[in-house]
Amino acid sequence: MPAGRGDACEPCYWTRTCRKRITIGQAGITTKALSEAFGEFGEWLIRITGPHKAALKINHFFSFFLELDQAWSRIPSYSELLHHFGAEGLRRVRLPMRWLHEEQGVEPDHQAKRIDSEKRRIQACLSSMPFASLSDQVLQAYWLQLETRIEAGKTSHTSARLALRAAAALLLATDREGQRLPQQGDVDNYLHAVPGQAASVTGLLIS
């Protein structure tokens, strides 16, 4: 037997270690159903990844189950999870999400996930302007127009994000401080550098 393992073989040692950590985690979850769910997930994790990896990962995933306990006191739907954690947050807990899908029947909504990702990219684009600058005001107003078109079913989040990104790039290329709006010369210089963006910036120029 490896040193420090006593009479336990390597897999047995890590299985015991993982189960001890599962038990400690369960004590911190107030809802009985979620405490049991964490235990079931831990046993699933041992089977799927092996006891060594499971023992190393289980404490990392405990915070996810604790969040479920505090936010819902139950296993929520996929839409609730997406709204709470966002697509990026759910990507960080792929194994618990896989367990929820395979063992609890929580069906992922890939379209909703894609839209959530696009919304976060849109917010990042809106935040790229100097705060309260003239460019910031223009880009925010342009986004309101695009948002209206999305709600009317006339464009998609992806198309709106691409248009918004092109508009932001033009505004920043014109003036990094955001105090001057594009003139024809600025537009010409920008399109000379990135000729493929002509269609994308049209919406900003005519809005």
Side-chain angles (χ1 to χ4, degrees), residues 102-171:
E102 293 180 1
E103 304 296 327
Q104 300 295 317
V106 176
E107 290 291 336
D109 185 334
H110 297 293
Q111 182 179 3
K113 184 178 179 180
R114 180 183 56 78
I115 290 174
D116 180 83
S117 295
E118 292 291 7
K119 285 180 177 179
R120 290 175 186 274
R121 293 188 185 108
I122 286 168
Q123 289 305 314
C125 185
L126 290 170
S127 299
S128 66
M129 293 296 106
F131 180 70
S133 66
L134 184 58
S135 292
D136 184 32
Q137 296 172 36
V138 168
L139 195 65
Q140 294 288 344
Y142 183 41
W143 164 237
L144 290 177
Q145 294 182 25
L146 291 170
E147 192 173 32
T148 299
R149 288 180 58 80
I150 292 172
E151 292 171 353
K154 295 180 179 179
T155 192
S156 67
H157 282 85
T158 299
S159 296
R161 189 255 303 169
L162 293 173
L164 198 68
R165 186 176 67 180
L170 173 60
L171 290 167

Side-chain angles (χ1 to χ4, degrees), residues 183-196:
Q183 301 298 317
Q184 187 59 51
D186 300 304
V187 176
D188 292 342
N189 290 336
Y190 175 74
L191 293 179
H192 179 74
V194 282

Side-chain angles (χ1 to χ4, degrees), residues 21-183:
R21 292 172 182 174
I22 291 168
T23 300
I24 292 170
Q26 285 179 301
I29 297 175
T30 58
T31 308
K32 183 175 183 292
L34 281 172
S35 177
E36 292 174 350
F38 182 63
E40 293 169 8
F41 166 73
E43 292 297 327
W44 177 87
L45 193 65
I46 291 171
R47 295 195 306 272
I48 294 298
T49 68
H52 188 182
K53 287 185 178 180
L56 297 178
K57 290 175 178 288
I58 192 66
N59 285 343
H60 170 71
F61 294 132
F62 165 71
S63 60
F64 174 74
F65 282 85
L66 186 61
E67 187 77 11
L68 302 189
D69 182 43
Q70 295 173 344
W72 293 283
S73 298
R74 58 177 171 80
I75 292 177
S77 66
Y78 183 84
S79 61
E80 289 173 316
L81 288 165
L82 183 63
H83 179 74
H84 186 81
F85 291 100
E88 182 59 34
L90 295 184
R91 275 192 285 270
R92 297 192 188 105
V93 287
R94 285 189 178 93
L95 284 172
M97 289 303 297
R98 178 181 164 188
W99 175 78
L100 285 172
H101 173 54
E102 293 180 1
E103 304 296 327
Q104 300 295 317
V106 176
E107 290 291 336
D109 185 334
H110 297 293
Q111 182 179 3
K113 184 178 179 180
R114 180 183 56 78
I115 290 174
D116 180 83
S117 295
E118 292 291 7
K119 285 180 177 179
R120 290 175 186 274
R121 293 188 185 108
I122 286 168
Q123 289 305 314
C125 185
L126 290 170
S127 299
S128 66
M129 293 296 106
F131 180 70
S133 66
L134 184 58
S135 292
D136 184 32
Q137 296 172 36
V138 168
L139 195 65
Q140 294 288 344
Y142 183 41
W143 164 237
L144 290 177
Q145 294 182 25
L146 291 170
E147 192 173 32
T148 299
R149 288 180 58 80
I150 292 172
E151 292 171 353
K154 295 180 179 179
T155 192
S156 67
H157 282 85
T158 299
S159 296
R161 189 255 303 169
L162 293 173
L164 198 68
R165 186 176 67 180
L170 173 60
L171 290 167
L172 290 172
T174 299
D175 180 11
R176 302 294 299 183
E177 301 300 319
Q179 298 306 319
R180 187 173 69 84
L181 296 182
Q183 301 298 317

